[in-house]
Amino acid sequence: MQIDKIKSIRIKWDIWTLSTIICLLFFTLFMVYPLLQIFRLSVINDGIFSFKYFNKFLEKKYYVSALTNSLLVAFSATFTTVIIGTVLAYITHTMKIYGKKFLEIIIIITMLSPPFIGAYSWILLLGRNGVITNFVKNTSGIILPSIYGFHGMLTVFSLQLYPLIYLYVSGALKNINKSLLEASESFGCIGIRRFFKVILPLLMPMILSGAVLVFMRSMADFGTPQLIGKGYRTMPYLIYNEFISEVGGNDGFAAALSVIMVIITLIFFLLQKYISRKMSYTMNANKSMEAIQHSGLKNIAAHIFVYIIVFLGLLPQLTVTYTAFRKTSTSGRMFIPGYSLTSFHIAFKKLGNCLVNTYVFSIVAVLMIVLIGVFVAYLAVRRASVITHLLDTMTMVSYIIPGSIMGIALLLGFNRKPFMLVGSVFIMLLAYVLRRIPYTIRSSAAILTNIHPSVEEAAISLGASNIKTFGYIVLPMMFPGVLSGAILSWMTIISELSATILLYVKKTETLTIAIYTEVVRSNYGTAAALSVILALSTVTVLLLFFKLSKNSEIKI
């Protein structure tokens, strides 16, 4: 009997067991270990366990106010994006809006440009010497409120991140059964009352999913506060200064600030998951909602609202494009009346390897993400066990870790032999893979749940091996979900700044870092030209995705 018991718990060694072990080792070594270094550094002071750094944070109003500012910006941005994104999605999916497909492409493009580019664009428009500021002042004598500080950051985040809510809510609206709305209408529940009583509760799980992404992005963003904050301190700004500063900086204190940030984002993430579970619904959308043609004032008001929001979201990119074609001095710092390609000429001279690095790093990172993500998704769905569940949970850790903290973790974990990776290409690739792999895993797992296991069982019963069945049967069926996650990962990788600003050296500089550097140096023409190159890359890949997938939307 004892022998039988030993046999029953013996591990079945096959390709999936080996894949599980390799993936576990990868995430343990390259994600868990570096993050543990942050926690260790935050509580170890001169070799002694201590909460000295946390007490330092709590004792000084200067530091506590940075946390308060970060939370205020994050919650305010989440609130405004939820309202804008939800209303916009509801209008475009219940009413026929002229040019809807084109508008949705613009909405996606709005989401993909780095937030700090939006910040710098609004400075050009509404800064102290901005185009709109000067125009209003010269024509009416009115001095517009400052774009700097809290209001500027809220404007940037709201117009940059509302597409996240829009995409989530759009997906949920497509799953609402039309017969449910007809039933509520028969009971006299129509108009705004039906929206709040019937539709909004059905949308809430997806709204919360989008809200947690908005909260984490606005909470963790580094570039926007740096450019437009002007004294409005936030936690990422403090962490960056404490870790990088050669005068007065403290790695241990930076680690403690990072731990506080992680705890807050973790609490918000777990709260969202708990509420979503409580409010989850299962719907059969064989009769999905249809957009209805309206007329009169209601139709005009809907079109005006949609067009204004989409235009304001696109305005920073339009400003950047316009700026790129203005004449500049040979340094790229001063603008001269007229238009030329001078900024692009200067930009290409300054590019160096950063353009090649951007494409090579992002493509290699996406290939790694697809390879690892597909296996993790398959293991989590088809080979469910305690170990694969642990692996799936580990991959989601990076979902809640701010980019700057991930960058610090990698620097602390791999700055000495035998794992001396600081300054290498591999550490940049690690940052990309760890931060963006949840997109591919989630999209791959979602489509895999819709593939019935009997398909694989039939192939195996006909003599195909497990790996052959996976490669020739399952993987082609997973392709749409894998491609969607890979494209989304790629487009967010090329706009990554928070982690890579800490990890890069001259030979690993990317396009986003080059843009940020030029903005900080006030070389706005050169920065604008580089931003246009980045935007064109994003749009090209987006259109290629639509062509390959024969679809007109990205699902998240």
Side-chain angles (χ1 to χ4, degrees), residues 71 74-75 78 168 205 207-217 219 260-278 389 392-402 438-439 442:
L71 289 173
F75 278 116
T78 302
Y168 272 101
I207 290 176
L208 290 173
S209 296
V212 74
L213 265 184
V214 173
F215 177 85
M216 290 177 182
R217 287 199 184 188
M219 181 81 174
I260 293 169
M261 281 274 288
V262 171
I263 291 173
I264 290 171
T265 54
L266 178 61
I267 291 173
F268 193 78
F269 177 75
L270 293 176
L271 183 63
Q272 175 265 329
K273 297 291 283 185
Y274 173 78
I275 296 174
S276 294
R277 268 200 310 269
K278 291 289 186 181
H389 179 69
D392 188 44
T393 303
M394 288 172 65
T395 62
M396 287 302 294
V397 170
S398 59
Y399 188 78
I400 62 173
I401 300 295
Y439 294 124
R442 296 276 73 82

Side-chain angles (χ1 to χ4, degrees), residues 14 29 71 119 133 149 217 287 351 450 456 478 480 520 533 536:
D14 56 16
L29 176 61
L71 289 173
T133 303
R217 287 199 184 188
K287 290 176 62 180
L351 272 177
N450 295 325
E456 298 170 65
M478 292 175 63
V520 170
I533 295 171
L536 287 175

Side-chain angles (χ1 to χ4, degrees), residues 426-443:
F426 188 66
I427 201 168
M428 296 283 284
L429 294 176
L430 275 178
Y432 292 144
V433 171
L434 294 175
R435 294 209 66 210
R436 305 308 177 192
I437 199 170
Y439 294 124
T440 298
I441 292 176
R442 296 276 73 82
S443 61

Side-chain angles (χ1 to χ4, degrees), residues 311-379:
F311 173 75
L312 288 176
L314 186 63
L315 186 57
Q317 194 60 57
L318 294 175
T319 304
V320 165
T321 305
Y322 166 76
T323 305
F325 288 96
R326 291 184 63 186
K327 277 187 178 181
T328 60
S329 60
T330 53
S331 67
R333 187 180 296 271
M334 299 296 295
F335 291 112
I336 304 170
Y339 303 93
S340 73
L341 297 176
T342 305
S343 293
F344 288 95
H345 179 69
I346 297 172
F348 278 108
K349 286 177 64 177
K350 290 187 175 183
L351 272 177
N353 293 325
C354 71
L355 183 60
V356 175
N357 288 345
T358 299
Y359 288 110
V360 172
F361 294 174
S362 60
I363 291 171
V364 173
V366 166
L367 291 176
M368 293 173 64
I369 286 171
V370 169
L371 179 63
I372 300 170
V374 167
F375 273 99
V376 172
Y378 186 84
L379 292 170

Side-chain angles (χ1 to χ4, degrees), residues 12-20 22 371 374-376 378-379 382-383 455-457 459-461 463-478:
K12 182 182 178 181
W13 288 97
D14 56 16
I15 185 65
W16 304 118
T17 304
L18 183 62
S19 299
T20 303
I22 292 174
L371 179 63
V374 167
F375 273 99
V376 172
Y378 186 84
L379 292 170
R382 289 288 193 262
R383 306 280 166 166
V455 176
E456 298 170 65
E457 294 168 0
I460 293 173
S461 67
S465 64
N466 285 333
I467 194 65
K468 194 172 182 180
T469 301
F470 176 76
Y472 285 92
I473 305 296
V474 179
L475 197 55
M477 298 176 72
M478 292 175 63

